[in-house]
Amino acid sequence: MPRPRLPLRFVLFAALAIGAALLLGLVVMTLNGLLEFYQRLVELPLWLRVPLLVATAAFAGGLGWLLWRLARPARHPAAAPVAPPVSRADVDTRIDHLRQRAVETAALEAELAELDRRRASGELYVALFGEISTGKSSLIRALAPEAAPEIDVRGGTTRQVGHHRGRLSDGRELILADVPGTGEVDGVVHEQLARDEALRAHAVVYLAASDLTRAQDAELRWLAGFGKPLLLALNKADLYDDAQRGALLDRLRQRYLAQARAIVAISAGGSERYERTLADGRREKVERDRAAELAPLLDALGALAARGTDALEPAREAAVLAEVGRRGDELARATARREAELAVTKYTRRAVVGALAAVAPGSDLLIQGALGTALVRELARIHGVAVRELDVEALLARVGLTVRNTTALVLAIAGNAMKAFPGLGTLGGGVLHAIAYGLVFDSLGHAIADTLADRASLDVADVETRVRALLAEPARERLERVARLALDAARESKSDG
Ligand SMILES: Nc1nc2c(ncn2[C@@H]2O[C@H](COP(=O)(O)OP(=O)(O)OP(=O)(O)O)[C@@H](O)[C@H]2O)c(=O)[nH]1
Ligand SMILES: [Mg+2]
Protein backbone atom coordinates (compact mmCIF):
# COMPACT_ATOMS: atom_id res chain seq x y z
CA MET A 1 0.00 0.00 0.00
CA PRO A 2 2.03 2.98 -1.21
CA ARG A 3 -0.65 5.56 -0.39
CA PRO A 4 0.25 6.49 3.23
CA ARG A 5 3.85 7.16 2.20
CA LEU A 6 2.92 9.92 -0.21
CA PRO A 7 2.19 12.74 2.29
CA LEU A 8 5.45 12.19 4.13
CA ARG A 9 7.42 12.43 0.94
CA PHE A 10 5.52 15.55 0.02
CA VAL A 11 6.24 17.17 3.38
CA LEU A 12 9.92 16.34 3.03
CA PHE A 13 10.02 17.78 -0.46
CA ALA A 14 8.27 20.96 0.69
CA ALA A 15 10.67 21.36 3.62
CA LEU A 16 13.62 20.87 1.32
CA ALA A 17 12.29 23.43 -1.17
CA ILE A 18 11.69 26.01 1.57
CA GLY A 19 15.14 25.34 3.04
CA ALA A 20 16.79 25.79 -0.37
CA ALA A 21 14.88 29.03 -1.01
CA LEU A 22 15.92 30.41 2.38
CA LEU A 23 19.54 29.48 1.79
CA LEU A 24 19.51 31.14 -1.61
CA GLY A 25 18.00 34.28 -0.09
CA LEU A 26 20.68 34.31 2.59
CA VAL A 27 23.46 33.96 0.02
CA VAL A 28 22.04 36.77 -2.13
CA MET A 29 21.66 39.02 0.91
CA THR A 30 25.21 38.37 2.06
CA LEU A 31 26.62 39.04 -1.39
CA ASN A 32 24.59 42.18 -1.64
CA GLY A 33 25.83 43.35 1.77
CA LEU A 34 29.42 42.65 0.80
CA LEU A 35 29.10 44.58 -2.46
CA GLU A 36 27.59 47.54 -0.65
CA PHE A 37 30.36 47.40 1.94
CA TYR A 38 32.96 47.34 -0.81
CA GLN A 39 31.37 50.32 -2.60
CA ARG A 40 31.35 52.42 0.55
CA LEU A 41 34.86 51.39 1.32
CA VAL A 42 36.08 52.59 -2.07
CA GLU A 43 34.44 55.96 -1.45
CA LEU A 44 36.20 56.42 1.89
CA PRO A 45 39.48 58.39 2.17
CA LEU A 46 42.62 56.28 2.38
CA TRP A 47 43.41 56.99 6.05
CA LEU A 48 40.00 55.51 7.00
CA ARG A 49 39.94 52.74 4.44
CA VAL A 50 43.18 50.98 5.48
CA PRO A 51 42.48 50.64 9.24
CA LEU A 52 38.93 49.52 8.47
CA LEU A 53 40.23 46.84 6.10
CA VAL A 54 42.79 45.66 8.66
CA ALA A 55 40.14 45.49 11.40
CA THR A 56 37.77 43.52 9.15
CA ALA A 57 40.51 41.07 8.19
CA ALA A 58 41.48 40.60 11.86
CA PHE A 59 37.86 39.98 12.81
CA ALA A 60 37.35 37.44 10.02
CA GLY A 61 40.63 35.72 10.93
CA GLY A 62 39.66 35.53 14.60
CA LEU A 63 36.25 34.13 13.75
CA GLY A 64 37.80 31.51 11.46
CA TRP A 65 40.29 30.46 14.14
CA LEU A 66 37.53 30.13 16.73
CA LEU A 67 35.40 28.00 14.40
CA TRP A 68 38.39 25.78 13.64
CA ARG A 69 39.13 25.32 17.35
CA LEU A 70 35.53 24.29 17.99
CA ALA A 71 35.05 22.08 14.98
CA ARG A 72 38.41 20.37 14.46
CA PRO A 73 38.40 16.60 15.06
CA ALA A 74 39.76 15.40 18.42
CA ARG A 75 43.37 14.33 18.17
CA HIS A 76 44.35 10.71 18.73
CA PRO A 77 45.15 10.05 22.38
CA ALA A 78 48.28 8.39 21.03
CA ALA A 79 51.14 7.38 23.25
CA ALA A 80 49.84 9.32 26.22
CA PRO A 81 51.68 8.07 29.28
CA VAL A 82 49.54 5.58 31.19
CA ALA A 83 50.41 7.06 34.56
CA PRO A 84 52.08 10.34 35.46
CA PRO A 85 55.84 9.94 35.49
CA VAL A 86 57.21 8.79 38.82
CA SER A 87 60.78 9.43 39.87
CA ARG A 88 63.00 6.80 41.44
CA ALA A 89 63.30 8.89 44.63
CA ASP A 90 59.54 9.13 44.83
CA VAL A 91 59.12 5.37 44.51
CA ASP A 92 61.82 4.77 47.12
CA THR A 93 60.06 7.10 49.57
CA ARG A 94 56.73 5.36 49.04
CA ILE A 95 58.32 1.97 49.69
CA ASP A 96 59.97 3.37 52.85
CA HIS A 97 56.59 4.53 54.13
CA LEU A 98 55.09 1.13 53.45
CA ARG A 99 57.92 -0.60 55.28
CA GLN A 100 57.37 1.64 58.29
CA ARG A 101 53.77 0.45 58.35
CA ALA A 102 54.98 -3.15 58.40
CA VAL A 103 53.73 -3.80 54.85
CA GLU A 104 55.41 -6.59 52.87
CA THR A 105 57.40 -4.75 50.18
CA ALA A 106 59.74 -7.54 49.03
CA ALA A 107 58.05 -7.88 45.62
CA LEU A 108 58.38 -4.17 44.90
CA GLU A 109 62.01 -4.13 45.98
CA ALA A 110 62.74 -7.16 43.81
CA GLU A 111 61.26 -5.33 40.83
CA LEU A 112 63.54 -2.34 41.44
CA ALA A 113 66.55 -4.62 41.89
CA GLU A 114 65.76 -6.26 38.53
CA LEU A 115 65.49 -2.81 36.97
CA ASP A 116 69.01 -1.99 38.17
CA ARG A 117 70.40 -5.39 37.25
CA ARG A 118 69.21 -5.11 33.66
CA ARG A 119 70.55 -1.58 33.32
CA ALA A 120 73.95 -2.68 34.59
CA SER A 121 74.02 -5.70 32.24
CA GLY A 122 73.74 -3.48 29.19
CA GLU A 123 71.74 -6.19 27.37
CA LEU A 124 68.85 -5.36 25.07
CA TYR A 125 65.60 -6.90 26.33
CA VAL A 126 62.75 -7.45 23.92
CA ALA A 127 59.49 -8.96 25.14
CA LEU A 128 57.08 -10.74 22.86
CA PHE A 129 53.46 -10.10 23.66
CA GLY A 130 50.16 -11.21 22.23
CA GLU A 131 47.15 -13.42 22.58
CA ILE A 132 47.52 -17.16 23.04
CA SER A 133 48.57 -19.12 19.97
CA THR A 134 49.71 -16.10 18.00
CA GLY A 135 53.15 -17.73 17.68
CA LYS A 136 55.30 -16.08 20.36
CA SER A 137 57.15 -19.25 21.29
CA SER A 138 57.56 -20.14 17.61
CA LEU A 139 59.14 -16.75 17.00
CA ILE A 140 61.53 -17.30 19.90
CA ARG A 141 62.56 -20.60 18.38
CA ALA A 142 63.19 -18.93 15.04
CA LEU A 143 65.25 -16.10 16.56
CA ALA A 144 67.04 -18.17 19.20
CA PRO A 145 67.70 -21.57 17.63
CA GLU A 146 69.23 -23.02 20.80
CA ALA A 147 66.11 -22.23 22.76
CA ALA A 148 63.48 -24.93 22.84
CA PRO A 149 60.31 -23.31 24.10
CA GLU A 150 57.20 -25.42 24.07
CA ILE A 151 55.02 -24.83 21.05
CA ASP A 152 51.58 -26.24 20.59
CA VAL A 153 48.38 -25.72 18.67
CA ARG A 154 46.61 -25.54 22.00
CA GLY A 155 46.41 -21.99 23.37
CA GLY A 156 47.90 -21.31 26.78
CA THR A 157 51.01 -23.45 26.20
CA THR A 158 53.50 -21.02 27.72
CA ARG A 159 52.82 -20.57 31.43
CA GLN A 160 55.85 -18.65 32.62
CA VAL A 161 58.22 -15.99 31.44
CA GLY A 162 61.31 -17.45 29.78
CA HIS A 163 64.41 -15.60 28.61
CA HIS A 164 66.34 -16.70 25.55
CA ARG A 165 69.44 -15.27 23.95
CA GLY A 166 68.79 -14.45 20.31
CA ARG A 167 71.01 -13.18 17.55
CA LEU A 168 70.23 -10.66 14.82
CA SER A 169 71.57 -10.95 11.27
CA ASP A 170 74.39 -8.46 11.98
CA GLY A 171 75.54 -10.61 14.89
CA ARG A 172 74.16 -8.35 17.59
CA GLU A 173 72.66 -10.20 20.53
CA LEU A 174 69.46 -9.55 22.38
CA ILE A 175 67.49 -11.21 25.13
CA LEU A 176 64.03 -12.30 24.09
CA ALA A 177 61.32 -12.84 26.66
CA ASP A 178 58.71 -15.46 25.88
CA VAL A 179 55.60 -14.79 27.92
CA PRO A 180 52.21 -16.43 28.43
CA GLY A 181 49.57 -15.39 25.93
CA THR A 182 46.71 -13.10 26.84
CA GLY A 183 43.03 -13.65 26.19
CA GLU A 184 42.84 -17.07 27.83
CA VAL A 185 39.74 -17.83 29.86
CA ASP A 186 40.67 -17.54 33.56
CA GLY A 187 44.17 -16.47 32.57
CA VAL A 188 44.43 -13.40 34.79
CA VAL A 189 47.52 -14.55 36.67
CA HIS A 190 49.42 -15.52 33.52
CA GLU A 191 48.36 -12.32 31.83
CA GLN A 192 49.80 -10.30 34.73
CA LEU A 193 53.14 -12.12 34.33
CA ALA A 194 53.15 -11.13 30.67
CA ARG A 195 52.27 -7.51 31.33
CA ASP A 196 54.95 -7.12 34.01
CA GLU A 197 57.57 -8.56 31.69
CA ALA A 198 56.48 -6.26 28.86
CA LEU A 199 57.07 -3.27 31.15
CA ARG A 200 60.55 -4.53 32.06
CA ALA A 201 61.68 -4.78 28.43
CA HIS A 202 63.30 -2.11 26.27
CA ALA A 203 60.92 -2.87 23.45
CA VAL A 204 57.89 -5.03 22.80
CA VAL A 205 56.98 -7.07 19.75
CA TYR A 206 53.21 -7.32 19.64
CA LEU A 207 52.16 -10.45 17.79
CA ALA A 208 48.81 -10.93 16.11
CA ALA A 209 47.72 -13.60 13.67
CA SER A 210 44.96 -11.57 12.00
CA ASP A 211 43.30 -8.17 12.19
CA LEU A 212 43.19 -6.97 15.80
CA THR A 213 40.12 -7.56 17.92
CA ARG A 214 38.83 -4.89 20.26
CA ALA A 215 40.66 -6.52 23.19
CA GLN A 216 43.93 -6.73 21.25
CA ASP A 217 43.51 -3.11 20.16
CA ALA A 218 43.16 -2.00 23.79
CA GLU A 219 46.14 -4.11 24.82
CA LEU A 220 48.35 -2.66 22.08
CA ARG A 221 47.38 0.91 22.96
CA TRP A 222 48.06 0.24 26.64
CA LEU A 223 51.55 -1.03 25.78
CA ALA A 224 52.22 1.88 23.42
CA GLY A 225 51.16 4.29 26.16
CA PHE A 226 54.41 3.61 28.01
CA GLY A 227 56.29 5.29 25.19
CA LYS A 228 58.61 2.36 24.53
CA PRO A 229 59.29 1.15 20.99
CA LEU A 230 56.53 -1.20 19.91
CA LEU A 231 56.77 -3.41 16.82
CA LEU A 232 53.55 -4.88 15.51
CA ALA A 233 54.11 -8.21 13.78
CA LEU A 234 51.35 -9.86 11.79
CA ASN A 235 52.36 -13.50 12.18
CA LYS A 236 51.27 -16.56 10.19
CA ALA A 237 51.45 -14.45 7.05
CA ASP A 238 51.78 -17.73 5.11
CA LEU A 239 48.06 -18.28 5.70
CA TYR A 240 47.17 -15.30 3.49
CA ASP A 241 47.69 -14.67 -0.21
CA ASP A 242 49.57 -11.54 -1.32
CA ALA A 243 46.46 -9.40 -1.80
CA GLN A 244 44.97 -10.35 1.58
CA ARG A 245 48.26 -9.78 3.35
CA GLY A 246 48.72 -6.39 1.69
CA ALA A 247 45.21 -5.28 2.60
CA LEU A 248 45.63 -6.40 6.21
CA LEU A 249 48.97 -4.63 6.54
CA ASP A 250 47.52 -1.44 5.05
CA ARG A 251 44.68 -1.48 7.53
CA LEU A 252 47.01 -2.07 10.47
CA ARG A 253 49.37 0.66 9.30
CA GLN A 254 46.53 3.15 9.09
CA ARG A 255 45.25 2.29 12.53
CA TYR A 256 48.50 2.04 14.44
CA LEU A 257 50.66 4.60 12.74
CA ALA A 258 51.06 6.49 16.01
CA GLN A 259 51.47 3.44 18.24
CA ALA A 260 53.83 1.13 16.41
CA ARG A 261 57.35 1.92 15.25
CA ALA A 262 57.10 -0.75 12.57
CA ILE A 263 54.28 -2.91 11.28
CA VAL A 264 55.47 -6.04 9.51
CA ALA A 265 54.15 -9.35 8.21
CA ILE A 266 56.13 -12.46 9.18
CA SER A 267 55.95 -16.21 9.46
CA ALA A 268 57.45 -17.44 12.69
CA GLY A 269 57.13 -20.92 11.31
CA GLY A 270 56.02 -23.19 14.07
CA SER A 271 55.49 -26.81 13.28
CA GLU A 272 52.73 -28.82 11.76
CA ARG A 273 51.62 -32.38 12.32
CA TYR A 274 50.08 -34.52 9.69
CA GLU A 275 49.56 -38.19 8.81
CA ARG A 276 51.15 -39.77 5.79
CA THR A 277 50.64 -43.16 4.18
CA LEU A 278 53.73 -45.31 3.73
CA ALA A 279 54.40 -47.56 0.74
CA ASP A 280 53.18 -50.61 2.63
CA GLY A 281 49.88 -48.88 3.42
CA ARG A 282 50.70 -48.13 7.05
CA ARG A 283 49.96 -44.61 8.27
CA GLU A 284 52.38 -42.63 10.34
CA LYS A 285 52.20 -39.30 12.22
CA VAL A 286 54.86 -36.77 11.21
CA GLU A 287 55.80 -33.39 12.57
CA ARG A 288 57.75 -30.92 10.53
CA ASP A 289 58.86 -27.33 10.93
CA ARG A 290 57.34 -24.69 8.73
CA ALA A 291 59.80 -22.34 7.08
CA ALA A 292 60.26 -19.05 8.91
CA GLU A 293 60.20 -15.72 7.10
CA LEU A 294 61.31 -12.97 9.44
CA ALA A 295 63.27 -10.47 7.32
CA PRO A 296 61.18 -7.32 7.98
CA LEU A 297 61.06 -7.98 11.73
CA LEU A 298 64.80 -8.61 11.84
CA ASP A 299 65.34 -5.27 10.09
CA ALA A 300 63.17 -3.46 12.61
CA LEU A 301 64.89 -5.16 15.54
CA GLY A 302 68.27 -4.36 13.99
CA ALA A 303 67.38 -0.66 13.75
CA LEU A 304 66.33 -0.78 17.39
CA ALA A 305 69.51 -2.51 18.53
CA ALA A 306 71.55 0.04 16.59
CA ARG A 307 70.22 2.78 18.88
CA GLY A 308 71.86 1.06 21.85
CA THR A 309 70.35 0.27 25.23
CA ASP A 310 71.33 3.64 26.72
CA ALA A 311 68.88 5.40 24.44
CA LEU A 312 66.13 2.92 25.28
CA GLU A 313 66.73 2.84 29.01
CA PRO A 314 64.78 5.96 30.14
CA ALA A 315 61.44 4.76 28.73
CA ARG A 316 61.99 1.29 30.17
CA GLU A 317 62.78 2.76 33.58
CA ALA A 318 59.74 5.05 33.45
CA ALA A 319 57.45 2.09 32.70
CA VAL A 320 58.79 -0.02 35.56
CA LEU A 321 58.70 2.90 38.02
CA ALA A 322 55.14 3.77 37.05
CA GLU A 323 54.09 0.17 37.67
CA VAL A 324 55.97 -0.14 40.98
CA GLY A 325 54.48 3.19 42.06
CA ARG A 326 50.99 2.01 41.15
CA ARG A 327 51.41 -1.24 43.06
CA GLY A 328 52.82 0.67 46.05
CA ASP A 329 49.80 2.95 46.08
CA GLU A 330 47.50 -0.04 45.89
CA LEU A 331 49.27 -1.62 48.87
CA ALA A 332 49.07 1.65 50.80
CA ARG A 333 45.33 1.88 50.13
CA ALA A 334 44.73 -1.72 51.19
CA THR A 335 46.77 -1.17 54.36
CA ALA A 336 44.86 2.00 55.20
CA ARG A 337 41.57 0.12 54.71
CA ARG A 338 42.72 -2.65 57.06
CA GLU A 339 44.00 -0.24 59.72
CA ALA A 340 40.83 1.83 59.48
CA GLU A 341 38.71 -1.29 59.98
CA LEU A 342 40.65 -2.12 63.16
CA ALA A 343 40.31 1.44 64.46
CA VAL A 344 36.55 1.47 63.84
CA THR A 345 36.16 -1.79 65.74
CA LYS A 346 38.26 -0.45 68.59
CA TYR A 347 36.17 2.71 68.96
CA THR A 348 32.88 0.89 68.51
CA ARG A 349 33.85 -1.38 71.37
CA ARG A 350 34.76 1.64 73.51
CA ALA A 351 31.43 3.28 72.67
CA VAL A 352 29.57 0.13 73.66
CA VAL A 353 31.50 -0.20 76.92
CA GLY A 354 30.93 3.50 77.65
CA ALA A 355 27.21 3.20 77.02
CA LEU A 356 26.90 0.17 79.29
CA ALA A 357 28.69 2.04 82.05
CA ALA A 358 26.66 5.25 81.71
CA VAL A 359 23.74 5.69 84.08
CA ALA A 360 21.68 7.72 81.66
CA PRO A 361 23.31 7.47 78.29
CA GLY A 362 22.80 10.27 75.82
CA SER A 363 23.93 10.07 72.24
CA ASP A 364 25.37 13.59 72.09
CA LEU A 365 27.56 12.86 75.03
CA LEU A 366 29.36 10.11 73.22
CA ILE A 367 29.38 11.43 69.72
CA GLN A 368 30.49 14.92 70.53
CA GLY A 369 32.79 13.76 73.24
CA ALA A 370 36.37 12.72 73.30
CA LEU A 371 35.65 9.32 71.76
CA GLY A 372 34.26 10.79 68.55
CA THR A 373 37.15 13.22 68.23
CA ALA A 374 39.70 10.50 68.81
CA LEU A 375 38.05 8.27 66.18
CA VAL A 376 38.15 11.03 63.55
CA ARG A 377 41.76 11.88 64.38
CA GLU A 378 42.93 8.29 64.15
CA LEU A 379 41.17 7.67 60.83
CA ALA A 380 42.61 10.89 59.41
CA ARG A 381 46.10 9.83 60.50
CA ILE A 382 45.66 6.42 58.87
CA HIS A 383 44.59 7.97 55.59
CA GLY A 384 47.26 10.67 55.78
CA VAL A 385 44.72 13.51 55.67
CA ALA A 386 45.35 16.64 57.74
CA VAL A 387 42.21 17.81 59.60
CA ARG A 388 41.60 20.91 61.66
CA GLU A 389 40.06 20.89 65.14
CA LEU A 390 37.29 23.09 63.77
CA ASP A 391 36.36 20.61 61.05
CA VAL A 392 36.22 17.74 63.51
CA GLU A 393 33.84 19.72 65.74
CA ALA A 394 31.68 20.72 62.79
CA LEU A 395 31.49 17.12 61.64
CA LEU A 396 30.54 15.74 65.03
CA ALA A 397 27.92 18.45 65.58
CA ARG A 398 26.33 17.77 62.21
CA VAL A 399 26.38 14.00 62.57
CA GLY A 400 25.01 14.43 66.13
CA LEU A 401 21.91 16.03 64.63
CA THR A 402 21.54 13.26 62.09
CA VAL A 403 21.82 10.66 64.80
CA ARG A 404 19.32 12.43 67.03
CA ASN A 405 16.83 12.36 64.17
CA THR A 406 17.41 8.69 63.58
CA THR A 407 17.60 7.58 67.22
CA ALA A 408 14.20 5.87 67.11
CA LEU A 409 15.29 4.04 63.99
CA VAL A 410 18.62 3.01 65.50
CA LEU A 411 16.96 1.78 68.65
CA ALA A 412 14.49 -0.23 66.60
CA ILE A 413 17.37 -1.79 64.67
CA ALA A 414 19.18 -2.50 67.92
CA GLY A 415 15.99 -4.15 69.18
CA ASN A 416 16.09 -6.45 66.14
CA ALA A 417 19.67 -7.32 66.90
CA MET A 418 18.63 -8.27 70.40
CA LYS A 419 16.00 -10.61 69.01
CA ALA A 420 18.67 -12.29 66.93
CA PHE A 421 20.77 -12.76 70.07
CA PRO A 422 18.37 -14.02 72.74
CA GLY A 423 21.17 -13.87 75.32
CA LEU A 424 21.23 -10.07 75.01
CA GLY A 425 17.68 -9.59 76.28
CA THR A 426 18.50 -10.96 79.71
CA LEU A 427 21.18 -8.30 80.17
CA GLY A 428 18.66 -5.51 80.60
CA GLY A 429 17.63 -2.33 78.81
CA GLY A 430 21.09 -0.78 78.87
CA VAL A 431 22.23 -3.26 76.29
CA LEU A 432 19.73 -1.91 73.78
CA HIS A 433 21.30 1.51 74.08
CA ALA A 434 24.78 0.08 73.99
CA ILE A 435 24.04 -1.65 70.68
CA ALA A 436 22.53 1.55 69.36
CA TYR A 437 25.70 3.49 70.25
CA GLY A 438 27.81 0.75 68.82
CA LEU A 439 25.88 1.01 65.55
CA VAL A 440 26.28 4.76 65.49
CA PHE A 441 30.04 4.52 66.00
CA ASP A 442 30.43 1.72 63.53
CA SER A 443 28.48 3.71 60.92
CA LEU A 444 30.30 6.94 61.67
CA GLY A 445 33.69 5.22 61.52
CA HIS A 446 33.00 3.50 58.20
CA ALA A 447 31.52 6.66 56.71
CA ILE A 448 34.56 8.74 57.67
CA ALA A 449 37.00 6.07 56.51
CA ASP A 450 35.27 5.81 53.12
CA THR A 451 35.12 9.58 52.67
CA LEU A 452 38.80 9.95 53.54
CA ALA A 453 39.75 7.11 51.18
CA ASP A 454 37.69 8.40 48.25
CA ARG A 455 38.10 12.16 48.63
CA ALA A 456 41.32 12.54 50.62
CA SER A 457 39.58 15.20 52.71
CA LEU A 458 37.10 15.34 55.58
CA ASP A 459 34.10 16.26 53.46
CA VAL A 460 31.42 16.76 56.11
CA ALA A 461 28.44 16.58 53.75
CA ASP A 462 29.75 13.38 52.23
CA VAL A 463 30.29 11.78 55.65
CA GLU A 464 26.77 12.73 56.68
CA THR A 465 25.22 11.19 53.57
CA ARG A 466 27.12 7.98 54.17
CA VAL A 467 26.24 7.85 57.89
CA ARG A 468 22.59 8.29 57.03
CA ALA A 469 22.69 5.45 54.52
CA LEU A 470 24.56 3.14 56.87
CA LEU A 471 22.23 3.83 59.78
CA ALA A 472 19.11 3.44 57.70
CA GLU A 473 20.03 -0.02 56.50
CA PRO A 474 22.68 -1.73 58.57
CA ALA A 475 23.84 -4.96 56.98
CA ARG A 476 23.15 -8.11 58.96
CA GLU A 477 26.86 -8.79 59.31
CA ARG A 478 27.43 -5.37 60.92
CA LEU A 479 24.49 -5.79 63.23
CA GLU A 480 25.74 -9.12 64.46
CA ARG A 481 29.26 -7.81 64.95
CA VAL A 482 28.09 -4.89 67.07
CA ALA A 483 25.65 -7.07 69.04
CA ARG A 484 28.47 -9.49 69.78
CA LEU A 485 30.67 -6.62 70.98
CA ALA A 486 27.85 -5.53 73.32
CA LEU A 487 27.35 -9.05 74.56
CA ASP A 488 31.05 -9.54 75.31
CA ALA A 489 31.31 -6.13 76.98
CA ALA A 490 28.21 -6.78 79.10
CA ARG A 491 29.55 -10.15 80.25
CA GLU A 492 32.94 -8.63 81.08
CA SER A 493 31.40 -5.78 83.07
CA LYS A 494 29.25 -8.31 84.96
CA SER A 495 32.17 -10.54 85.83
CA ASP A 496 34.15 -7.41 86.86
CA GLY A 497 31.36 -6.11 89.09
N1 LIG B 1 50.76 -21.27 9.73
C1 LIG B 1 51.55 -20.84 10.70
N2 LIG B 1 51.40 -21.32 11.93
C2 LIG B 1 52.21 -20.86 12.91
C3 LIG B 1 53.18 -19.87 12.66
N3 LIG B 1 53.81 -19.61 13.81
C4 LIG B 1 53.26 -20.40 14.75
N4 LIG B 1 52.29 -21.16 14.21
C5 LIG B 1 51.48 -22.16 14.91
O1 LIG B 1 50.66 -21.52 15.88
C6 LIG B 1 50.46 -22.38 16.99
C7 LIG B 1 50.81 -21.64 18.27
O2 LIG B 1 52.18 -21.38 18.30
P1 LIG B 1 52.95 -21.01 19.64
O3 LIG B 1 54.32 -20.56 19.24
O4 LIG B 1 52.84 -22.08 20.65
O5 LIG B 1 52.08 -19.77 20.11
P2 LIG B 1 52.22 -18.93 21.46
O6 LIG B 1 51.85 -17.53 21.10
O7 LIG B 1 53.54 -19.15 22.10
O8 LIG B 1 51.05 -19.57 22.30
P3 LIG B 1 50.84 -19.54 23.92
O9 LIG B 1 52.12 -19.97 24.55
O10 LIG B 1 49.73 -20.51 24.11
O11 LIG B 1 50.44 -18.17 24.25
C8 LIG B 1 51.34 -23.59 16.76
O12 LIG B 1 50.53 -24.61 16.28
C9 LIG B 1 52.33 -23.12 15.71
O13 LIG B 1 52.77 -24.18 14.90
C10 LIG B 1 53.31 -19.37 11.33
O14 LIG B 1 54.11 -18.51 11.01
N5 LIG B 1 52.45 -19.88 10.40
MG1 LIG C 1 54.01 -19.84 23.93
Side-chain angles (χ1 to χ4, degrees):
M1 271 202 307
R3 273 189 81 80
R5 281 165 119 191
L6 212 66
L8 181 70
R9 220 190 271 173
F10 180 73
V11 169
L12 271 176
F13 179 76
L16 218 65
I18 294 172
L22 281 176
L23 192 71
L24 195 70
L26 199 72
V27 170
V28 169
M29 258 161 65
T30 313
L31 277 176
N32 202 25
L34 279 175
L35 277 173
E36 249 173 56
F37 178 72
Y38 176 73
Q39 246 163 19
R40 292 215 186 123
L41 202 68
V42 172
E43 286 160 16
L44 282 176
L46 195 67
W47 62 269
L48 240 172
R49 203 190 313 162
V50 173
L52 207 65
L53 261 176
V54 170
T56 313
F59 177 74
L63 196 72
W65 176 80
L66 197 74
L67 282 176
W68 164 243
R69 279 298 299 266
L70 289 176
R72 89 175 148 181
R75 242 184 264 155
H76 261 300
V82 173
V86 193
S87 74
R88 178 61 180 262
D90 190 13
V91 170
D92 285 338
T93 320
R94 286 193 220 178
I95 292 182
D96 264 354
H97 283 159
L98 287 172
R99 225 182 284 124
Q100 280 161 23
R101 292 171 94 160
V103 179
E104 184 52 74
T105 54
L108 301 185
E109 285 163 60
E111 192 67 61
L112 292 180
E114 179 64 9
L115 174 69
D116 296 337
R117 192 193 66 74
R118 287 192 188 187
R119 188 192 310 107
S121 78
E123 309 256 28
L124 174 67
Y125 279 84
V126 175
L128 306 190
F129 199 94
E131 278 192 359
I132 47 172
S133 278
T134 44
K136 299 176 291 299
S137 300
S138 304
L139 179 57
I140 295 271
R141 197 151 77 183
L143 288 169
E146 292 101 88
E150 228 187 311
I151 292 169
D152 203 284
V153 275
R154 285 167 300 180
T157 302
T158 305
R159 295 312 213 172
Q160 302 167 4
V161 174
H163 291 113
H164 308 278
R165 191 171 290 277
R167 197 183 292 277
L168 296 171
S169 26
D170 63 359
R172 252 189 263 254
E173 288 196 336
L174 75 174
I175 296 193
L176 293 155
D178 189 13
V179 308
T182 59
E184 191 191 354
V185 186
D186 293 335
V188 188
V189 177
H190 298 117
E191 221 162 294
Q192 193 56 49
L193 288 178
R195 283 168 192 265
D196 289 348
E197 183 58 29
L199 298 189
R200 287 181 202 121
H202 288 107
V204 178
V205 176
Y206 190 89
L207 262 91
S210 61
D211 204 356
L212 267 57
T213 61
R214 198 187 284 256
Q216 287 174 307
D217 173 86
E219 208 163 63
L220 183 138
R221 287 177 195 278
W222 173 77
L223 282 166
F226 287 96
K228 293 196 284 196
L230 181 86
L231 311 178
L232 171 55
L234 173 67
N235 189 28
K236 310 194 185 180
D238 51 287
L239 298 180
Y240 300 101
D241 65 31
D242 286 349
Q244 288 171 323
R245 195 180 316 134
L248 245 173
L249 271 180
D250 277 350
R251 202 153 56 233
L252 292 175
R253 286 194 174 125
Q254 268 172 22
R255 260 164 81 190
Y256 302 113
L257 184 73
Q259 283 77 24
R261 187 151 305 204
I263 300 175
V264 295
I266 56 165
S267 282
S271 51
E272 57 192 338
R273 286 178 210 148
Y274 61 97
E275 261 192 358
R276 69 172 167 196
T277 312
L278 299 173
D280 58 9
R282 277 182 301 132
R283 293 180 69 75
E284 122 182 307
K285 285 200 172 91
V286 214
E287 182 165 348
R288 75 165 168 209
D289 286 348
R290 271 188 220 97
E293 173 46 53
L294 303 173
L297 181 64
L298 285 173
D299 286 349
L301 284 172
L304 208 68
R307 289 178 60 194
T309 46
D310 282 351
L312 301 169
E313 194 60 28
R316 184 181 92 77
E317 176 157 343
V320 173
L321 288 179
E323 177 61 11
V324 174
R326 192 191 63 74
R327 273 160 61 189
D329 286 350
E330 214 170 75
L331 274 176
R333 272 196 298 276
T335 309
R337 263 200 304 278
R338 210 173 40 244
E339 289 176 0
E341 198 58 49
L342 285 175
V344 172
T345 308
K346 181 171 84 182
Y347 281 95
T348 303
R349 163 180 277 280
R350 286 191 189 169
V352 167
V353 172
L356 282 170
V359 187
S363 66
D364 295 355
L365 219 141
L366 275 168
I367 295 156
Q368 291 174 358
L371 218 48
T373 311
L375 171 65
V376 182
R377 290 230 158 275
E378 185 149 343
L379 290 175
R381 183 191 56 75
I382 288 169
H383 282 283
V385 175
V387 293
R388 294 176 309 167
E389 197 67 45
L390 223 67
D391 294 334
V392 178
E393 274 168 29
L395 171 70
L396 293 176
R398 193 141 154 198
V399 174
L401 286 177
T402 309
V403 171
R404 201 174 297 150
N405 294 336
T406 42
T407 304
L409 179 70
V410 176
L411 282 171
I413 293 164
N416 278 339
M418 279 179 76
K419 276 186 213 128
F421 283 79
L424 287 169
T426 60
L427 295 169
V431 176
L432 185 67
H433 277 98
I435 298 176
Y437 290 137
L439 274 177
V440 167
F441 258 79
D442 185 83
S443 307
L444 178 62
H446 281 113
I448 295 173
D450 288 350
T451 296
L452 290 171
D454 290 355
R455 311 208 160 190
S457 83
L458 192 65
D459 183 331
V460 174
D462 189 55
V463 173
E464 195 189 359
T465 314
R466 290 180 199 254
V467 170
R468 219 181 264 280
L470 286 171
L471 280 178
E473 221 175 306
R476 192 185 158 74
E477 171 271 328
R478 252 167 20 94
L479 220 59
E480 287 183 3
R481 192 154 36 80
V482 175
R484 194 161 287 290
L485 279 179
L487 192 64
D488 291 348
R491 284 205 188 114
E492 270 168 37
S493 71
K494 263 200 177 160
S495 59
D496 285 353

